[in-house]
């Protein structure tokens, strides 16, 4: 999850490094690349000492020359027992991801069913896959003429889809729900993603139940005062207009995103009796404890729900877990599916706080804070356990009454049945999309 950096002071580095791009000596036209590289690495180490949540665990002496790359350096110094999340990228890539501007991808996800058949799990509307008509529920038989089984590795899958370059193509053979087959070649391209994959209101035994499939906490480009999502506003205006009595929020493929957008959603969902209560408190390292802050709810809209059913999986991480954790002290929060990923910490990018990183287009995004809910809960590195275990059923489209997790959630609303007949092991997939990605891409996984 990413914290909006406006809450943090700007740090100006008041010295001049002749080996950086912003060198003060114009006569130094060809600086030693090794020296430049090491200066950048030293800047990474200094930024980590200043802002890293576990900065007390950093080695006292770090010889940056022993690391072959910035990425190798970061991996070599982070606090491995708990940190699976810190990463390095570029400022442009970071900003594009958090505003939903995809590039060099086809625009879809994969998921396995209980028999480990591969299916398209979601499709972005404006992506090459979306324009080609792909839908959740299509079985993937072959990629570039090879059966899916041949892409299996010891730890997951390597689909060999090639570089993330606009125009690069792959060919897919699919089996559609009606039994027909389709072979299609699509390119990778640049496009605007949609975070809302599906929304509907279902009437069941006198209740109106909202169903919302939310894939990532992304802000809408241009909406910066405050940072927010137009898709979120439109969704809740729809649910409020329909007068829903219950809500099912499907986060099974949601790897996280913006804390500001998470706050926006929380303000719609919080019950009226907690309209201005504590939402969360974020904590920084001891050096930066003056940046600790508590955020209160600011209720929006007139939804006054007593409980929320979340559909989750190992792909539900970061801001998804923040949403669940922040509501838990104030209402009945019920989880269906599989245990969440386990990321109770967050980040904000540091390049704007370090001249050397900014000058060399190195965006470091380490873990910089933990978030406590109103009851002080912030230690869920093993994820949140589900109340009802249920396997993914990607062969069924969104809202299909036979899609297992959705069906179990609806049954719970109707009968209170906890689904104990479903074995917890049956809900645990050997592989999730999130397993194939690291760093920034893990927060927003897509092929």
């Amino acid at each position: 999850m990413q914290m909006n950096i406006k809450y943090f002071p700007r740090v100006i580095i008041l010295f001049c490094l002749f080996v950086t791009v912003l060198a003060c000596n114009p006569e130094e036209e060809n600086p030693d690349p090794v020296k430049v590289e090491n200066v950048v690495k030293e800047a990474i180490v200094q930024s980590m000492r200043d802002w890293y949540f576990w900065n007390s665990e950093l080695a006292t002496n770090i010889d940056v020359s022993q690391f072959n790359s910035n990425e190798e350096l970061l991996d070599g110094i982070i606090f491995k027992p708990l940190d699976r999340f810190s990463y390095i990228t570029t400022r442009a890539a970071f900003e594009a991801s958090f505003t939903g501007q995809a590039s060099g991808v086809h625009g879809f996800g994969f998921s396995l069913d209980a028999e480990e058949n591969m299916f398209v799990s979601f499709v972005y509307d404006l992506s090459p896959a979306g324009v080609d008509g792909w839908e959740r529920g299509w079985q993937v038989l072959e990629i570039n003429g090879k059966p899916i089984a041949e892409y299996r590795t010891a730890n997951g899958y390597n689909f060999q889809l090639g570089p993330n370059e606009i125009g690069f193509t792959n060919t897919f053979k699919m089996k559609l729900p009606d039994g027909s087959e389709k072979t299609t070649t699509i390119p990778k391209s640049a496009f605007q993603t949609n975070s809302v994959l599906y929304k509907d209101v279902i009437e069941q035994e006198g209740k109106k139940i909202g169903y919302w499939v939310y894939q990532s906490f992304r802000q809408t480009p241009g909406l910066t005062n405050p940072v927010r999502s137009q898709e979120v506003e439109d969704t809740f205006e729809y649910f409020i207009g329909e007068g829903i009595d219950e809500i099912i929020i499907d986060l099974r493929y949601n790897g996280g995103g913006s804390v500001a957008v998470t706050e926006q959603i929380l303000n719609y969902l919080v019950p009226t009796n907690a309209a201005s209560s504590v939402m969360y408190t974020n904590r920084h390292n001891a050096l930066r404890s003056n940046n600790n802050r508590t955020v209160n709810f600011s209720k929006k809209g007139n939804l006054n729900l007593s409980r929320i059913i979340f559909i989750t999986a190992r792909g539900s991480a970061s801001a998804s877990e923040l949403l669940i954790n922040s509501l838990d002290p104030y209402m009945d929060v019920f989880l269906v599916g599989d245990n969440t990923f386990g990321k109770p910490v967050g980040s904000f990018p540091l390049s704007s706080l370090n001249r050397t990183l900014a000058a060399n287009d190195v965006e470091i995004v380490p873990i910089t804070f933990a978030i406590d809910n109103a009851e002080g809960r912030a230690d869920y590195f093993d994820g949140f356990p589900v109340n009802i275990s249920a396997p993914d059923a990607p062969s069924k489209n969104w809202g299909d009454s036979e899609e297992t997790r959705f069906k179990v959630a609806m049954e719970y609303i109707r009968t209170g049945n906890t689904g104990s007949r479903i074995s917890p092991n049956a809900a645990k997939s050997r592989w999730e999309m999130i397993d194939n990605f690291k760093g920034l891409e893990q927060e927003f996984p897509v092929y």
Side-chain angles (χ1 to χ4, degrees):
M1 72 188 81
Q2 177 243 342
M3 180 69 70
N4 194 318
I5 198 167
K6 69 180 181 179
Y7 297 115
F8 298 88
R10 296 279 174 171
V11 177
I12 302 175
I13 309 299
L14 297 176
F15 61 88
C16 177
L17 296 170
F18 74 95
V19 292
T20 65
V21 173
L22 296 182
C24 288
N25 182 0
E27 295 179 0
E28 185 67 39
E29 296 180 355
N30 298 297
D32 183 339
V34 174
K35 289 182 180 179
V36 172
E37 189 173 279
N38 285 343
V39 168
V40 171
K41 289 175 183 174
E42 292 287 1
I44 290 171
V45 171
Q46 187 57 55
S47 294
M48 292 288 280
R49 295 199 188 283
D50 288 343
W51 290 100
Y52 188 46
F53 185 67
W54 295 288
N55 63 347
S56 62
E57 302 291 340
L58 295 172
T60 303
N61 297 308
I62 299 173
D63 182 358
V64 300
S65 67
Q66 299 302 305
F67 299 93
N68 294 321
S69 67
N70 297 333
E71 290 76 14
E72 184 179 309
L73 167 64
L74 184 67
D75 184 66
I77 66 175
I78 60 174
F79 182 52
K80 289 290 180 63
L82 293 177
D83 190 357
R84 299 173 284 162
F85 318 111
S86 297
Y87 62 89
I88 291 175
T89 183
T90 65
R91 184 68 189 183
F94 181 88
E95 292 180 350
S97 291
F98 277 86
T99 54
Q101 300 168 66
S103 183
V105 292
H106 295 303
F108 64 86
F110 281 155
S111 184
L112 299 174
D113 68 3
E115 287 74 43
E116 298 200 7
N117 297 307
M118 186 73 69
F119 290 85
V120 174
S121 57
F122 69 86
V123 183
Y124 291 132
D125 295 344
L126 300 180
S127 70
V131 172
D132 196 46
W134 293 27
E135 293 183 3
R136 174 179 168 86
W138 290 16
Q139 185 176 357
V140 188
L141 303 176
E142 297 177 359
I143 299 176
N144 295 323
K146 290 173 57 175
I148 289 298
E150 294 187 20
Y151 291 99
R152 197 80 166 89
T153 68
N155 301 315
Y157 288 87
N158 180 359
F159 297 113
Q160 302 169 28
L161 296 178
N164 288 350
E165 296 177 359
I166 294 173
F168 192 91
T169 62
N170 286 288
T171 300
F172 303 85
K173 182 178 181 180
M174 312 281 206
K175 183 177 181 180
L176 277 57
D178 64 5
S180 64
E181 294 185 356
K182 174 179 178 175
T183 299
T184 183
T185 299
I186 60 171
K188 297 183 178 184
S189 75
F191 56 91
Q192 180 66 45
T193 65
N194 53 291
S195 291
V196 177
L197 300 179
Y198 184 84
K199 66 178 186 288
D200 194 15
V201 173
I202 305 101
E203 294 198 33
Q204 176 178 270
E205 297 183 358
K207 283 187 175 181
K208 286 189 173 183
I209 303 164
Y211 177 47
W212 188 37
V213 184
Y214 191 58
Q215 199 265 340
S216 56
F217 294 79
R218 287 180 163 120
Q219 68 192 70
T220 299
L223 299 184
T224 57
N225 191 23
V227 170
R228 64 195 189 281
S229 164
Q230 188 62 51
E231 287 185 89
V232 166
E233 288 188 15
D234 293 345
T235 294
F236 281 97
E237 286 178 7
Y238 167 64
F239 286 145
I240 290 169
E242 290 290 323
I244 62 171
D245 305 295
E246 302 262 10
I247 191 168
I248 300 169
I249 300 180
D250 197 328
L251 302 173
R252 72 183 81 183
Y253 308 130
N254 192 318
S258 166
V259 170
V261 174
T262 311
E263 292 178 13
Q264 180 186 5
I265 296 170
L266 284 165
N267 284 326
Y268 279 109
L269 292 173
V270 66
T272 303
N273 62 7
S276 58
S277 301
V278 172
M279 181 187 288
Y280 67 80
T281 298
N282 69 349
R283 291 181 289 111
H284 296 76
N285 63 42
L287 184 65
R288 298 294 175 180
S289 60
N290 60 309
N291 295 111
N292 293 354
R293 70 188 184 98
T294 295
V295 176
N296 292 338
F297 288 102
S298 180
K299 176 67 178 173
K300 188 168 185 178
N302 61 3
L303 289 182
N304 193 26
L305 306 171
S306 61
R307 68 177 176 185
I308 297 179
I309 292 86
F310 288 101
I311 295 177
T312 61
R314 195 167 70 251
S316 309
S318 193
S320 289
E321 294 168 307
L322 172 60
L323 187 69
I324 294 166
N325 197 41
S326 296
L327 290 171
D328 187 59
Y330 302 106
M331 59 198 308
D332 183 9
V333 173
F334 201 86
L335 273 58
V336 172
D338 194 9
N339 299 353
T340 64
F341 187 77
K343 186 184 176 187
V345 287
S347 310
F348 61 89
L350 298 183
S351 70
S352 64
L353 305 178
N354 186 295
R355 183 182 179 185
T356 302
L357 297 181
N360 289 277
D361 194 23
V362 174
E363 186 62 87
I364 178 173
V365 192
I367 295 303
T368 50
F369 59 88
I371 296 187
D372 303 332
N373 70 7
E375 296 174 344
R377 184 181 189 184
D379 188 11
Y380 47 89
F381 285 96
D382 293 328
F384 290 120
V386 291
N387 300 97
I388 305 178
S389 296
D392 197 3
S395 63
K396 305 296 183 182
N397 211 338
W398 301 120
D400 189 310
S401 61
E402 293 303 311
E403 196 284 304
T404 308
R405 288 173 173 165
F406 175 64
K407 181 179 181 179
V408 168
M410 292 291 286
E411 181 181 351
Y412 174 72
I413 290 173
R414 185 176 67 255
T415 67
N417 186 345
T418 60
S420 58
R421 65 186 183 279
I422 298 177
S423 167
N425 290 332
K428 296 186 180 300
S429 173
R430 288 179 56 192
W431 173 84
E432 298 270 356
M433 261 187 73
I434 200 169
D435 300 332
N436 266 29
F437 295 89
K438 298 293 183 183
L440 182 62
E441 289 75 21
Q442 189 178 65
E443 200 148 14
F444 304 105
V446 62
Y447 295 114

